[in-house]
């Protein structure tokens, strides 16, 4: 089981990117999925999380109002729409599957795949 993030790139501040999280070996519709990021020299942090039943979402304060998480269960894909990007959003972004406990804790996720680099220039 592995999730693969894609869609990163280089964008100017104020721009937008659309990240996708695709799964192999698991049906995303049966799982709560989280997006994380890790900037150089910093710990990996939870960015957003979307429950499997769609009843709740979580956003870290720094991205509220700018990022939107969504899913297309038919395509087994979870998305992260990122608008009004800032240089401090620069990081490698990952998606992972929630296994229980506190949803903002990276230790409570598995199926990490390779991330996708997002670079925001000022």
């Amino acid at each position: 089981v592995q999730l693969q993030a894609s869609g990163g790139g280089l964008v100017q501040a104020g721009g937008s990117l659309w990240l996708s999280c695709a799964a192999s070996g698991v049906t995303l519709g049966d799982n709560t999925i989280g997006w994380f990021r890790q900037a150089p020299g910093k710990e990996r942090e939870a960015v957003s999380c979307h429950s499997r039943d769609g009843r709740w979402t979580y956003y870290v304060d720094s991205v509220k109002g700018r990022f939107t998480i969504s899913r297309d269960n038919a395509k087994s894909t979870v998305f992260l729409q990122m608008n009004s990007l800032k240089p401090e959003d620069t990081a490698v972004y990952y998606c992972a599957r929630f296994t229980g406990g506190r949803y903002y804790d990276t230790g409570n996720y598995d199926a990490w795949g390779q991330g996708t680099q997002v670079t925001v220039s000022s």
Side-chain angles (χ1 to χ4, degrees):
V1 175
Q2 192 173 63
L3 304 185
Q4 183 62 52
S6 62
L10 173 63
V11 63
Q12 289 187 333
S16 298
L17 283 173
W18 187 285
L19 303 186
S20 298
C21 175
S24 60
V26 64
T27 301
L28 287 186
D30 295 336
N31 292 277
T32 293
I33 301 297
W35 280 98
F36 296 79
R37 65 186 179 187
Q38 187 165 19
K42 294 187 177 181
E43 293 187 354
R44 190 171 298 186
E45 68 167 347
V47 175
S48 183
C49 184
H50 188 276
S51 67
R52 62 181 180 178
D53 59 9
R55 291 185 178 182
W56 60 265
T57 56
Y58 161 83
Y59 297 98
V60 68
D61 285 346
S62 59
V63 308
K64 285 181 180 177
R66 301 188 297 122
F67 290 13
T68 303
I69 191 170
S70 62
R71 65 167 71 210
D72 183 337
N73 287 336
K75 297 181 179 180
S76 199
T77 304
V78 176
F79 304 100
L80 186 67
Q81 174 68 37
M82 307 188 296
N83 297 324
S84 303
L85 284 163
K86 304 176 181 180
E88 51 263 43
D89 294 319
T90 295
V92 178
Y93 284 70
Y94 303 85
C95 56
R97 179 180 61 176
F98 181 59
T99 58
R102 294 179 298 184
Y103 51 84
Y104 50 83
D105 187 338
T106 58
N108 294 328
Y109 287 79
D110 69 0
W112 299 90
Q114 289 186 336
T116 185
Q117 176 71 47
V118 171
T119 303
V120 184
S121 63
S122 57

